[in-house]
Amino acid sequence: MDTENLRSFLEVAEHGSFTVAASRLNLAQSTVSARIRGLEEQLGRRLFVRDRDGVKLTPAGRQFLPHASSITRTWEQSRQNIAVPHGYDSLLRLTAPAYLWDRITSPWVEWMRARRPNVALRLEGSFPDLAIDQLAEGLLDICILYLPRPHPGIVYETLAVDQVVLVQHAAQTKPWTENYILMDWGLEFRIEHDRAFAGMVKPAISAGLVFIGLQHVLSRQAAAYLPLSAVSTHIERGEMRRIDNTPVFQRPIYLAYPSNPVSSDVLDVALTGLRSLARDWTSEQGFSEGDRSLEQFTFRGNDELL
């Protein structure tokens, strides 16, 4: 489907006029009309109807409107994402949690600039599910995340193991259980958490993203189980404190990338750098190589774990 036809459709729908749409697109009105006719032929439905007030969408046109808008936005984003800046040979796109910037992402940027100066880098942050979809669609090259989701053609491996610790806002003097947000780190964590705090009343608030849990603790003077990598700076500043004599959980951080990348050489260099930096970080935390459990697996179409 031609995105130019979609642009013409959106302009006519917004302004209710072929003339105005043609003027805004700097096209002849006949060209806009031809594009709309072509779109209607492809869809097998009339999209506009004329009346005394101008041009209005038909029921089919109203139904198609959000799809046309979504397709156009996705195309624009894709075009920008894959555009290689002038002077570079290729573009590598990575998404990672923001709180890993100091420990992994920023050192990795230096690693890549030293070893592949001809490769431009695009750094992003997004929700894990969206990132995996973008990875599968070729809009991302590498994703760092906590919870892998089965998807055909995506390889996952354990990059590092993060410590998940119980912290409380430094200004809170009440027991941590009185203002506690339950972080959902997956089934294994929930089982271990329930075993460690048997009989605990289920908290009224729960979350699945580190950012949400972190902001809630800071703004509501609450307590939560959060990755040490995300709270260490706040502990050093005196904004938070760790709760003594509570379990410390280990949570793997996964590296995700396509099983058949467009440029395997660049991807190999990038992955090597991330693995090296993660080893250094793991050593700093006091884990042994065995603790990291560097398994690697690929999801296929039937979600089989290899």
Side-chain angles (χ1 to χ4, degrees):
M1 185 173 291
D2 192 337
T3 56
E4 295 304 320
N5 289 356
L6 295 179
R7 294 180 196 282
S8 296
F9 166 77
L10 292 172
E11 288 290 343
V12 175
E14 180 179 357
H15 300 287
S17 168
F18 281 82
T19 302
V20 175
S23 176
R24 288 179 58 83
L25 294 169
N26 197 26
L27 296 170
Q29 183 174 334
S30 59
T31 301
V32 173
S33 298
R35 287 180 176 181
I36 299 301
R37 284 197 301 272
L39 196 56
E40 290 177 331
E41 291 174 1
Q42 285 182 300
L43 296 172
R45 295 286 189 277
R46 286 195 66 186
L47 299 175
F48 294 102
V49 61
R50 293 182 181 273
D51 61 17
R52 72 178 78 182
D53 297 323
V55 179
K56 292 185 178 180
L57 289 166
T58 64
R62 289 194 297 271
Q63 188 175 9
F64 181 63
L65 183 61
H67 298 290
S69 180
S70 176
I71 293 170
T72 303
R73 286 197 307 270
T74 301
W75 170 253
E76 281 299 326
Q77 181 181 3
S78 302
R79 188 171 62 85
Q80 293 175 15
N81 285 351
I82 66 174
V84 179
H86 178 71
Y88 294 90
D89 295 339
S90 60
L91 174 68
L92 187 73
R93 299 147 299 182
L94 175 142
T95 183
Y99 55 84
L100 292 180
W101 173 262
D102 289 337
R103 297 182 179 275
I104 291 183
T105 311
S106 180
W108 174 78
V109 170
E110 295 182 15
W111 169 285
M112 290 298 296
R113 301 309 304 138
R115 290 161 179 79
R116 289 293 185 275
N118 60 326
V119 176
L121 303 176
R122 183 181 179 92
L123 309 175
E124 299 183 358
S126 62
F127 293 101
D129 283 350
L130 177 59
I132 293 302
D133 289 338
Q134 291 176 328
L135 196 65
E137 294 167 3
L139 300 179
L140 279 175
D141 300 293
I142 303 173
C143 178
I144 300 176
L145 71 168
Y146 277 108
L147 295 175
R149 175 168 62 86
H151 202 297
I154 301 298
V155 177
Y156 294 93
E157 67 178 67
T158 306
L159 178 65
V161 176
D162 205 354
Q163 297 184 55
V164 180
V165 298
L166 181 58
V167 295
Q168 183 181 34
H169 194 282
Q172 181 57 260
T173 58
K174 297 179 180 179
W176 63 268
T177 53
E178 293 189 15
N179 190 10
Y180 178 63
I181 177 172
L182 178 63
M183 301 303 298
D184 186 359
W185 300 136
L187 179 60
E188 183 178 349
F189 172 81
R190 291 196 298 270
I191 293 174
E192 294 180 358
H193 182 278
D194 291 346
R195 184 182 298 121
F197 302 103
M200 179 181 180
V201 177
K202 186 176 181 180
I205 303 175
S206 62
L209 293 176
V210 173
F211 174 79
I212 294 176
L214 184 62
Q215 293 305 311
H216 185 80
V217 170
L218 291 172
S219 63
R220 300 298 179 182
Q221 297 187 5
Y225 261 103
L226 293 168
L228 187 58
S229 58
V231 300
S232 57
T233 300
H234 298 284
I235 294 174
E236 293 170 1
R237 292 174 181 170
E239 299 169 342
M240 296 181 185
R241 62 173 175 270
R242 289 180 60 170
I243 304 299
D244 296 331
N245 303 318
T246 54
V248 175
F249 300 101
Q250 295 184 18
R251 189 170 183 232
I253 300 174
Y254 292 95
L255 191 61
Y257 50 91
S259 55
N260 294 305
V262 175
S263 177
S264 58
D265 173 65
V266 173
L267 184 65
D268 287 345
V269 173
L271 294 176
T272 298
L274 290 169
R275 292 170 185 139
S276 175
L277 294 165
R279 277 195 298 270
D280 294 340
W281 177 36
T282 299
S283 299
E284 291 175 4
Q285 293 190 98
F287 290 111
S288 66
E289 188 68 19
D291 292 327
R292 291 184 68 235
S293 182
L294 270 176
E295 74 271 16
Q296 183 183 94
F297 49 90
T298 305
F299 289 109
R300 294 199 174 163
N302 59 358
D303 293 350
E304 179 183 2
L305 186 59
L306 299 181

